[in-house]
């Protein structure tokens, strides 16, 4: 083996960095900062983990499925903070930093539900999908995680490799409301 060390350092560029918000009086589509996304997975015997997460996490909690959550933050978390969080969760849970692997998109406005309904079978009415509710779903053919942040505000989390395609799909689905 060689002790050769490359001087190459990859430069991370935001996937949607060149995309400008699409806005009208009825709909607004915005790329969100590529901050922090930590995927937390509970051990089978874990109890009251969500309450513990809310206490420990530096960010918002999004339910993914039973025993799984995303911790989402606007700012990147230093490696030491991620490591400290994951250590504090052991042995009840483990986690994976998905910050470089997922992208967040915000869609809001009085027609946000109608735009999203073009791509997903989820009942997005406020009664069936209240503020704070999250679901893993498909939007078109793309797997996504959808959260209602406010009455007319949604966050979509998508794998990095599909972010630009999903953005383009959402922009097309929004055209009639622009």
């Amino acid at each position: 083996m060689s002790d050769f060390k490359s001087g190459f350092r990859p430069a991370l560029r935001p996937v949607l960095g060149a995309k400008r918000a699409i806005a009208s009086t009825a709909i607004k589509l915005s790329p969100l900062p590529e901050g922090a996304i930590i995927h937390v997975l509970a051990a089978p015997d874990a109890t009251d983990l969500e309450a513990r997460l809310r206490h420990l996490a530096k960010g918002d909690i999004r339910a993914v499925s039973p025993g799984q959550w995303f911790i989402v933050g606007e700012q990147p978390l230093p490696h030491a903070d991620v490591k400290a969080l994951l250590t504090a969760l052991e042995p009840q849970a483990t986690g994976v930093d998905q910050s470089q692997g997922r992208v967040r998109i915000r869609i809001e406005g009085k027609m946000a539900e109608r735009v999203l309904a073009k791509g997903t079978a989820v009942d997005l009415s406020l009664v069936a999908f209240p503020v704070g509710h999250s679901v893993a779903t498909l939007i078109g053919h793309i797997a996504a995680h959808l959260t209602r942040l406010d009455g007319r505000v949604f966050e979509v989390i998508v794998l990095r490799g599909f972010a630009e395609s999903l953005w383009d799909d959402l922009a097309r689905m929004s055209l009639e409301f622009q």
Side-chain angles (χ1 to χ4, degrees), residues 68-81:
Q68 294 187 40
W69 300 268
F70 284 137
I71 299 171
V72 178
E74 296 291 317
Q75 299 298 319
L77 283 177
H79 178 73
D81 290 355

Side-chain angles (χ1 to χ4, degrees), residues 39-43 49 64-69 93-94:
H39 191 177
V40 176
L41 301 98
L49 188 58
V64 175
S65 65
Q68 294 187 40
W69 300 268
T94 190

Side-chain angles (χ1 to χ4, degrees), residues 6 10 15 37 44 53 83 98 104 111 120 162:
S6 171
V15 173
I37 302 176
L53 273 176
K83 188 174 180 179
Q98 293 283 302
R104 298 179 310 131
M111 292 300 168
T120 187
F162 293 103

Side-chain angles (χ1 to χ4, degrees), residues 150-170:
D150 202 349
R152 295 179 171 173
V153 182
F154 296 86
E155 173 191 76
V156 181
I157 298 175
V158 63
L159 288 170
R160 184 178 195 83
F162 293 103
E164 195 166 8
S165 181
L166 181 59
W167 176 273
D168 292 343
D169 288 350
L170 290 168

Side-chain angles (χ1 to χ4, degrees), residues 84-155:
L85 170 67
L86 300 180
T87 300
L89 292 173
E90 291 178 354
Q92 285 189 302
T94 190
V96 179
D97 185 354
Q98 293 283 302
S99 303
Q100 306 303 317
R102 295 183 189 262
V103 174
R104 298 179 310 131
I105 299 170
R106 181 179 179 114
I107 182 165
E108 61 189 302
K110 63 185 177 185
M111 292 300 168
E113 285 179 16
R114 289 196 44 200
V115 169
L116 289 167
K118 291 179 181 184
T120 187
V122 174
D123 180 352
L124 297 172
S125 67
L126 196 52
V127 172
F129 199 79
V131 173
H133 193 76
S134 296
V135 66
T137 186
L138 290 175
I139 298 178
H141 66 284
I142 299 171
H145 183 266
L146 181 65
T147 301
R148 184 187 291 266
L149 300 177
D150 202 349
R152 295 179 171 173
V153 182
F154 296 86
E155 173 191 76

